[in-house]
Amino acid sequence: MYTQALNTSDADDRNVEDAARAAAFQARIDVDERIEPNDWMPAAYRKTLTRQISQHAHSEIVGMLPEGNWITRAPTLRRKAALLAKVQDECGHGLYLYAAAETLGTSREELVDAMLAGKAKYSSIFNYPTLTWADIGTIGWLVDGAAIMNQIPLCRCSYGPYARAMIRVCKEESFHQRQGFEIMLMLCRGTDEQKAMAQDALNRWWWPVLMMFGPPDKVSQHSDTSTKWKIKRFSNDELRQKFVDATVPQAQFLGLTIPDPEMKQDEAGYWVPGPIDWEEFKQVLAGNGPCNRDRLAARRKAHDEGAWVRAAAAAYAEKRKRRQFAQAAE
Amino acid sequence: MATPNSPLWEVFIRSRNGLAHKHVGSLHAADATLALQAARDIYTRRGEGLSIWVVPSSAITASDPAEKGMMFEPAESKIYRHPTFYDVPEEVGHM
């Protein structure tokens, strides 16, 4: 489950709203009331959440691809069963999230079509390839770890259906991170070659994972609105810092080196990373990452190849309905 | 070509015998049989349930949140409907 850089909102739309209703809405949020689907909400709140939740859902679904890549090649039956269960969970998470997004008034089909048309974003992290088995360990340990950091505060998000979906997701996500860490631990306690494989995976994933938290606070746009609406409860940099502080000791335990020679611990004990290459982040978001085209092509292929199944199920349901009506009429 | 919409279903799960079915979420499926199968895959991957209900979302009639004052306020002012409203001397014991 993976969110990132979703703290953009449509503050401009708010001026056209009824001021009294908008004030009442904000008052409900301020006292931590949950907003439910049929409640009045500003158009910009609806739009921001539809975008954020659907991007989150797309990320879950696209996130199945890099990991699915290793299901048939998992080193043992135990690992294969665990990976299969994890990928299945990602699919489930995508579906909970589409269901939450739909309550805002856009159908799942429309949301999926927007993603397939390349009009909707998903987390940039899934545009990186999974080259070795150690990548599967690293994704569980770091990508899911970062996702958990992002998602725990979302369990208290002001929009009820999103918060409830996040609670389910967070419960399931902790298995993902632990199985990833276990893979890394096995590799790090293995041969020199295995340990080198773990280090290589960490080297490739570390920076993209830090980018998952989105642009630094000083350039992040519209974050204020999402904070005011209690969609976002911590800033990108705060969450990134929490993640780094939690992860450094875990890497030390594994005996791996974080690929950041400039990282140091400050006097208060926080680990301060070196500068992040935001140009790379921009490029991947713009569609120029290593796997952007592959991922979209794989999603489109799956969708197209499933078209006859959807059509057959709909035709069968229609036929049964007609037969029932005919019987009732007799 | 736009993907055609499929019907939406609300899913209710009974987690243990003796407990009521509880709403857990929704899903899309062409018919009731497929909805039940999808509900099993989506909502009970970790043994969450002993029984599932699926209901077409269109079959649900909901109260209007804008009228919640009219709907629920009358109950709030009737504190005499609660047992704690009545004083029973301590000597009487548990009642």
Side-chain angles (χ1 to χ4, degrees):
Chain A
M1 177 54 80
Y2 318 90
T3 54
Q4 74 163 170
L6 302 171
N7 52 328
T8 50
S9 51
D10 305 272
D12 304 343
D13 298 358
R14 272 181 309 137
N15 302 332
V16 300
E17 304 280 339
D18 173 340
R21 286 175 125 179
F25 173 83
Q26 188 61 47
R28 289 186 62 195
I29 296 219
D30 291 343
V31 295
D32 275 328
E33 261 186 52
R34 290 281 187 277
I35 306 303
E36 295 296 340
N38 295 330
D39 294 346
W40 185 89
M41 61 186 86
Y45 179 84
R46 186 183 299 276
K47 195 166 162 190
T48 297
L49 272 172
T50 302
R51 181 168 52 202
Q52 172 163 341
I53 303 172
S54 65
Q55 286 182 0
H56 198 158
H58 302 328
S59 303
E60 299 289 348
I61 299 298
V62 176
M64 296 164 76
L65 297 170
E67 295 185 284
N69 182 34
W70 279 89
I71 290 174
T72 57
R73 293 176 285 163
T76 65
L77 192 57
R78 178 177 185 269
R79 297 282 177 215
K80 186 173 180 162
L83 185 56
L84 196 56
K86 179 177 190 298
V87 173
Q88 232 183 348
D89 274 354
E90 306 301 2
C91 178
H93 296 175
L95 294 176
Y96 309 152
L97 284 160
Y98 282 126
E102 277 190 318
T103 62
L104 292 158
T106 311
S107 75
R108 183 177 86 189
E109 288 82 356
E110 280 175 79
L111 297 171
V112 169
D113 285 350
M115 190 256 283
L116 296 174
K119 288 185 214 149
K121 289 198 178 97
Y122 56 85
S123 181
S124 64
I125 196 78
F126 301 117
N127 289 317
Y128 291 88
T130 42
L131 304 178
T132 71
W133 174 250
D135 290 37
I136 298 303
T138 310
I139 288 183
W141 171 39
L142 297 182
V143 176
D144 290 299
I148 292 171
M149 279 299 170
N150 263 328
Q151 286 164 183
I152 290 198
L154 286 173
C155 295
R156 292 186 293 130
C157 152
S158 60
Y159 190 57
Y162 193 24
R164 291 192 285 273
M166 281 298 101
I167 291 170
R168 277 192 77 86
V169 166
C170 285
K171 269 188 200 161
E172 298 178 356
E173 202 79 32
S174 105
F175 130 63
H176 297 181
Q177 193 186 14
R178 290 172 64 115
Q179 68 91 36
F181 190 78
E182 197 194 73
I183 291 172
M184 295 307 272
L185 195 58
M186 292 290 276
L187 290 171
C188 291
R189 286 176 177 168
T191 62
D192 287 350
E193 243 180 319
Q194 286 171 322
K195 188 161 182 188
M197 193 195 268
Q199 181 65 54
D200 167 65
L202 175 60
N203 292 349
R204 282 181 291 109
W205 288 92
W206 176 253
W207 293 105
V209 165
L210 291 194
M211 294 173 198
M212 282 176 70
F213 294 94
D217 295 349
K218 55 181 190 291
V219 300
S220 169
Q221 294 172 318
H222 306 307
S223 207
D224 292 351
T225 328
S226 281
T227 305
K228 201 180 91 188
W229 283 334
K230 294 193 182 166
I231 295 170
K232 197 175 172 62
R233 290 184 180 257
F234 297 98
S235 77
N236 296 351
D237 285 339
E238 283 168 342
L239 289 169
R240 187 165 18 242
Q241 186 60 50
K242 265 193 195 181
F243 173 77
V244 170
D245 289 326
T247 307
V248 170
Q250 293 165 358
Q252 287 169 340
F253 183 87
L254 292 170
L256 295 176
T257 309
I258 300 233
D260 179 359
E262 291 181 47
M263 181 186 279
K264 26 179 202 298
Q265 198 168 20
D266 70 10
E267 284 163 13
Y270 295 111
W271 289 94
V272 184
I276 295 172
D277 177 9
W278 291 110
E279 187 48 36
E280 175 180 330
F281 178 70
K282 260 188 237 161
Q283 285 299 323
V284 176
L285 272 192
N288 303 320
C291 299
N292 295 55
R293 272 183 294 273
D294 283 357
R295 299 299 185 230
L296 259 189
R299 286 312 313 152
R300 285 179 187 144
K301 181 166 177 274
H303 190 74
D304 292 346
E305 289 178 356
W308 72 269
V309 180
R310 292 189 296 274
Y316 180 69
E318 189 55 35
K319 186 177 88 178
R320 296 241 311 195
K321 209 187 285 170
R322 248 185 267 139
R323 196 176 293 166
Q324 273 175 356
F325 278 135
Q327 277 171 355
E330 273 169 20
Chain B
M1 194 188 76
T3 309
N5 287 356
S6 57
L8 188 65
W9 302 76
E10 299 302 321
V11 181
F12 298 80
I13 290 178
R14 185 206 294 284
S15 54
R16 268 179 292 139
N17 270 330
L19 294 183
H21 285 74
K22 193 174 163 219
H23 184 243
V24 292
S26 49
L27 54 81
H28 284 267
D31 62 31
T33 311
L34 289 176
L36 266 183
Q37 286 176 6
R40 190 208 53 184
D41 290 343
I42 299 171
Y43 293 105
T44 64
R45 288 194 302 286
R46 288 177 175 77
E48 290 92 335
L50 298 171
S51 160
I52 304 176
W53 288 348
V54 289
V55 178
S57 305
S58 57
I60 291 179
T61 308
S63 64
D64 181 354
E67 290 177 2
K68 71 172 183 238
M70 191 182 77
M71 292 282 275
F72 306 114
E73 203 290 322
E76 275 168 29
S77 59
K78 295 175 179 56
I79 52 170
Y80 47 84
R81 285 180 174 171
H82 296 277
T84 46
F85 181 75
Y86 301 94
D87 289 327
V88 174
E90 222 163 280
E91 306 90 274
V92 179
H94 178 74
M95 183 181 283

